[in-house]
């Protein structure tokens, strides 16, 4: 995981969970919530419309992908990738690419579609793809760059002709098509080759995507216009107005009143039933590829002891937290890390609740309640006491923290819950001034196998250079393996190792309910990990199947 990704994932604490970030996406057509399934009616009549009003919870600037990567669904309205929709489906489909062929362990050749144009009318060519991959690899880091610079490392990119690109990797790269090519937005060379500092770029973006960002008013709204010449067909909605409504209550009041047509925040569990009863309103239930976690400072004594981290994990009653805090709108984190719905996750992972085993491990580590106060002490008399920090902006996390305090106390660990402002929480990953804190991680972190490896080299799940011989040996084996299925089995071993001595203790995997006015638009589809509000929902019916990653 790149440093920028780590900063991004920490920043998300301030904006996610009561509803996940700006535009979560979808993978089945929407149908009424009567049967509890994900959004839409597959056979429903496709609607054309002049404009949809989609509320977003934050201003992320003029969609500079070096600064706005937490809002990938908005970015993807403008930008396209070689394969779609994402690395989080079993088989991403060709998009800007017509095909990709692996020549040998290190080389891939990609054929691009002809006739595609950038929003400003310039032709899209292999030079744009070559430039993009080299810019990500050699320039400042962002959320996407590790897929070219380190995991995997692409040494050479050659535009063989206007529609052919050859990629040569530094080590075996069997997942280049399924992961890297399905993750990286392609940039226009004729614009970005002039950008020396991408973090200061403030112009409206130019892409090949189905929508153009035509107007942006800071802290007020975004306005998108349909790209009538989009190579996959003109979008079925002519324009999108996205007002920024930061307060969740205000956003859902606006949806009730008809001021907006859909909220890109998930509906809080306690409001779902009331929204289902509203005229012309539907609620789509989706499974997000995200998780809520305890981040453990594995570099700080005594949390640097793997057996202690294992004991902490065993002490957590995840089902009790899921039932009590989010009213069952999610699954207990009993399969640990990464997300069990990813096609790249070991289906046999297990992180059970076992307080007695936690106590036994603590006793083996010589943590015993020596003075009868209910708190275990080390051999030198130090109490087993930790702080658990949580952001003030996430009430469900605060309630989770209070339950965790009780659960840890049940095995003799004292926990002090500290509720802090979001800005302070956002610095913890860099300062390392914490024992534990609550956070969440989104699809890129918990459904992408390359990112799982990178997360152990970035300071998030582990720090590169810090001794971890078992994981290092598996990583070396993973990098050397050219067969995609054999590599997957190695990654399964890495996941098992991680969950035996976790640095992230998963509490639950959230579900989200997205409410929308069906009388305004009823063509929403779900894409794994991204809810329903994304570009695939707005494309012609025959194109929407790409959202599921199926042929």
């Amino acid at each position: 995981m790149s440093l920028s990704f780590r900063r991004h994932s920490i920043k998300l604490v301030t904006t996610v969970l009561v509803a996940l970030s700006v535009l979560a996406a979808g993978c089945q057509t929407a149908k009424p919530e009567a049967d509890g399934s994900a959004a839409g009616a597959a056979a429903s009549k496709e609607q054309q419309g002049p404009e949809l009003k989609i509320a977003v919870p934050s201003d992320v600037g003029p969609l500079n992908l070096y600064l706005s990567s937490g809002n990938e669904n908005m970015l993807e309205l403008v930008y396209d990738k070689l394969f779609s929709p994402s690395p989080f489906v079993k088989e991403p489909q060709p998009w800007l690419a017509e095909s990709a062929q692996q020549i040998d362990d290190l080389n891939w050749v990609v054929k691009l579609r002809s006739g595609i144009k950038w929003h400003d009318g310039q032709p899209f060519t292999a030079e744009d793809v070559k430039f993009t991959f080299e810019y990500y690899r050699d320039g400042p880091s962002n959320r996407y760059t590790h897929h070219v610079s380190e995991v995997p490392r692409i040494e050479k990119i050659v535009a063989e002709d206007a529609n052919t690109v050859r990629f040569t990797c530094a080590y075996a790269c069997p997942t280049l098509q399924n992961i890297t090519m399905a993750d990286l937005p392609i940039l226009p060379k004729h614009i970005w080759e002039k950008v020396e500092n991408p973090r200061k770029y403030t112009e409206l973006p130019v892409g090949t995507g189905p929508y153009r960002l035509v107007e942006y008013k800071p802290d007020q709204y975004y306005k998108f216009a349909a790209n009538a010449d989009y190579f996959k067909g003109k979008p079925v909605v002519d324009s999108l107005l996205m007002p920024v409504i930061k307060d969740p209550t205000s956003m859902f009041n606006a949806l009730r009143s008809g001021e907006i047509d859909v909220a890109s925040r998930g509906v809080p569990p306690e409001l779902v039933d009331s929204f289902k009863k509203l005229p012309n309103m539907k609620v789509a239930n989706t499974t997000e590829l995200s998780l809520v976690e305890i981040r453990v400072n594995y570099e700080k004594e005594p949390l640097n002891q793997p057996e202690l981290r294992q004991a902490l994990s065993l002490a957590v009653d995840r089902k009790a937290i899921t039932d009590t805090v989010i009213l069952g709108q999610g699954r207990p984190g009993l399969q640990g890390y990464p997300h069990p719905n990813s096609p790249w996750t070991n289906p046999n992972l297990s992180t059970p609740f076992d307080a007695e085993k936690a106590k036994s491990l603590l006793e083996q580590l010589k943590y015993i309640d020596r003075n009868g106060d209910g708190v275990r002490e080390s051999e030198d008399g130090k109490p087993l006491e930790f702080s658990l920090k949580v952001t003030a902006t996430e009430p469900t996390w605060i309630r989770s923290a209070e339950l965790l305090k009780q659960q840890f106390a049940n095995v003799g660990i004292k926990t002090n819950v500290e509720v802090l402002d979001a800005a302070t929480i956002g610095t913890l990953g860099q300062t390392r001034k914490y024992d534990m804190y609550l956070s969440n991680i989104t699809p890129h972190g918990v459904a992408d196998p390359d990112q799982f490896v990178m997360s152990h080299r970035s300071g998030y799940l582990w720090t590169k250079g810090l001794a971890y011989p078992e994981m290092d040996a598996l990583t070396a084996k993973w990098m050397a393996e050219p067969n995609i299925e054999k590599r997957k089995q190695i990654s399964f071993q890495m996941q098992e190792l991680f969950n035996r001595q976790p640095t992230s203790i998963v509490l639950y995997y959230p579900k989200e309910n997205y409410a929308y006015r069906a009388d305004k638009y009823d063509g929403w589809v779900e894409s794994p990990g991204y809810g329903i509000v994304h570009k695939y929902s707005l494309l012609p019916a025959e194109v929407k199947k790409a959202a599921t990653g199926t042929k």
Side-chain angles (χ1 to χ4, degrees):
M1 181 171 77
S2 63
L3 288 175
S4 63
F5 175 75
R6 187 169 79 244
R7 288 192 292 268
H8 157 62
S9 58
I10 293 168
K11 174 183 169 188
L12 280 175
V13 174
T14 65
T15 59
V16 201
L17 191 59
V18 168
L20 294 174
S21 67
V22 166
L23 292 164
C27 96
Q28 300 162 282
T29 31
K31 53 186 167 185
E33 184 54 24
D35 62 359
S37 59
S44 66
K45 183 179 178 182
E46 186 171 271
Q47 296 162 281
Q48 298 279 150
E51 183 173 78
L52 276 177
K53 295 184 178 69
I54 305 170
V56 296
S58 60
D59 178 357
V60 294
L63 298 191
N64 177 339
L65 54 78
Y66 274 78
L67 302 174
S68 306
S69 60
N71 299 282
E72 291 169 35
N73 291 8
M74 289 180 77
L75 287 168
E76 288 198 19
L77 292 171
V78 174
Y79 292 106
D80 286 314
K81 301 173 293 191
L82 297 178
F83 281 73
S84 281
S86 70
F88 318 133
V89 297
K90 188 173 183 180
E91 190 175 357
Q93 300 302 298
W95 208 252
L96 289 175
E98 195 172 80
S99 65
Q101 181 181 4
Q102 186 172 12
I103 306 303
D104 54 36
D105 293 351
L106 302 180
N107 288 279
W108 286 79
V109 172
V110 174
K111 293 290 185 181
L112 304 175
R113 297 183 189 275
S114 301
I116 297 174
K117 292 185 177 181
W118 296 98
H119 292 156
D120 60 6
Q122 294 293 314
F124 162 74
T125 73
E127 288 296 334
D128 296 303
V129 176
K130 170 181 163 63
F131 169 81
T132 297
F133 277 69
E134 290 178 342
Y135 196 82
Y136 288 152
R137 183 191 64 193
D138 303 331
S141 65
N142 68 18
R143 130 87 175 85
Y144 306 97
T145 54
H146 81 81
H147 279 308
V148 184
S149 63
E150 189 166 355
V151 184
R153 169 79 185 182
I154 303 179
E155 289 287 8
K156 191 175 181 181
I157 305 108
V158 177
E160 296 187 335
D161 59 43
N163 297 99
T164 308
V165 186
R166 178 183 287 265
F167 299 91
T168 302
C169 299
Y171 56 87
C173 51
T175 61
L176 203 68
Q177 173 184 317
N178 292 48
I179 306 298
T180 297
M181 295 180 194
D183 193 53
L184 270 59
I186 304 301
L187 302 170
K189 177 183 177 181
H190 65 281
I191 292 176
W192 281 82
E193 66 181 348
K194 303 168 188 174
V195 179
E196 293 184 4
N197 186 344
R199 301 189 191 287
K200 293 185 177 180
Y201 185 67
T202 58
E203 299 299 316
L204 296 186
V206 172
T208 58
Y211 286 90
R212 295 178 295 115
L213 179 60
V214 295
E215 191 175 358
Y216 160 63
K217 294 288 186 183
D219 282 324
Q220 294 183 47
Y221 63 84
Y222 295 81
K223 188 165 187 177
F224 296 84
N227 177 4
D229 298 321
Y230 190 52
F231 70 99
K232 283 288 189 177
K234 181 184 177 183
V236 299
V237 177
D238 293 337
S239 68
L240 309 174
L241 181 63
M242 295 188 174
V244 177
I245 305 178
K246 297 180 180 180
D247 178 65
T249 300
S250 299
M251 183 181 289
F252 292 116
N253 284 341
L255 183 59
R256 278 196 185 93
S257 68
E259 199 177 321
I260 59 173
D261 304 320
V262 61
S264 60
R265 284 184 183 273
V267 181
E270 63 271 16
L271 298 181
V272 170
D273 286 342
S274 66
F275 269 92
K276 288 180 182 178
K277 295 174 183 176
L278 292 174
N280 298 315
M281 193 75 70
K282 288 184 180 180
V283 176
N285 180 267
T286 68
T287 300
E288 301 300 317
L289 290 175
S290 67
L291 54 83
V292 175
E293 62 182 352
I294 306 171
R295 295 192 182 178
V296 182
N297 191 345
Y298 52 86
E299 297 184 55
K300 184 177 181 181
E301 293 184 352
L303 295 168
N304 59 347
Q305 300 175 82
E307 297 86 358
L308 177 54
R309 299 196 302 271
Q310 183 183 16
L312 287 169
S313 177
L314 289 164
V316 176
D317 186 345
R318 296 157 172 86
K319 186 177 187 305
I321 292 173
T322 305
D323 291 346
T324 304
V325 175
I326 60 171
L327 307 180
Q329 292 298 313
R331 294 156 53 194
L334 294 171
Q335 288 176 268
Y337 196 109
H339 198 288
N341 281 18
S342 168
W344 305 100
T345 297
N346 184 340
N348 299 315
L349 295 178
S350 177
T351 53
F353 167 53
D354 191 336
E356 293 307 312
K357 186 174 180 180
K359 292 175 185 177
S360 177
L361 279 172
L362 293 171
E363 287 166 8
Q364 291 174 34
L365 292 170
K366 309 300 183 184
Y367 291 112
I368 300 168
D369 182 7
R370 303 171 193 278
N371 58 11
D373 65 352
V375 178
R376 295 174 184 270
E377 291 86 30
S378 62
E379 290 184 284
D380 60 3
K382 291 181 181 178
L384 197 55
E385 180 176 358
F386 303 112
S387 69
L388 176 60
K389 302 180 191 297
V390 60
T391 178
T393 60
E394 295 293 346
T396 54
W397 295 3
I398 295 171
R399 293 196 291 271
S400 295
E402 293 297 337
L403 278 178
L404 287 166
K405 179 179 179 178
Q406 297 173 25
Q407 292 175 4
F408 289 143
N410 290 339
V411 298
I413 299 172
K414 183 177 180 180
T415 310
N416 301 306
V417 175
E418 298 181 38
V419 180
L420 304 174
D421 63 273
T424 300
I425 291 287
T427 67
L428 297 179
Q430 287 77 42
T431 65
R432 314 300 288 183
K433 293 180 179 179
Y434 68 93
D435 296 327
M436 300 182 288
Y437 72 96
L438 291 191
S439 186
N440 82 305
I441 255 319
T442 51
H444 181 226
V446 296
D448 178 334
D450 291 359
Q451 180 56 55
F452 181 78
V453 174
M454 192 64 206
S455 293
H456 281 83
R457 305 163 75 85
S458 67
Y460 164 42
L461 297 181
W462 199 255
T463 299
K464 191 175 183 178
L466 191 64
Y468 200 163
E470 290 176 276
M471 188 65 77
D472 290 345
L474 284 171
T475 300
K477 187 177 178 182
W478 182 91
M479 288 181 168
E481 178 53 61
N483 179 277
I484 193 168
E485 287 303 320
K486 289 181 180 178
R487 175 177 273 195
K488 183 186 286 189
Q489 294 303 314
I490 296 168
S491 70
F492 285 2
Q493 295 176 50
M494 297 167 76
Q495 294 164 17
E496 289 173 351
L497 172 61
F498 174 83
N499 284 286
R500 286 198 299 272
Q501 47 191 46
T503 58
S504 162
I505 299 173
V506 179
L507 300 183
Y508 53 86
Y509 315 109
K511 293 181 181 178
E512 288 294 340
N513 293 282
Y514 292 92
Y516 63 94
R517 302 191 67 84
D519 56 332
K520 294 300 179 87
Y521 188 68
D522 197 15
W524 302 108
V525 295
E526 183 189 0
S527 187
Y530 287 119
I532 63 171
V533 187
H534 51 79
K535 72 184 180 188
Y536 305 99
S537 285
L538 304 168
L539 294 178
E542 67 273 13
V543 182
K544 289 184 179 183
K545 62 186 178 182
T548 67
T550 58
K551 293 181 179 179

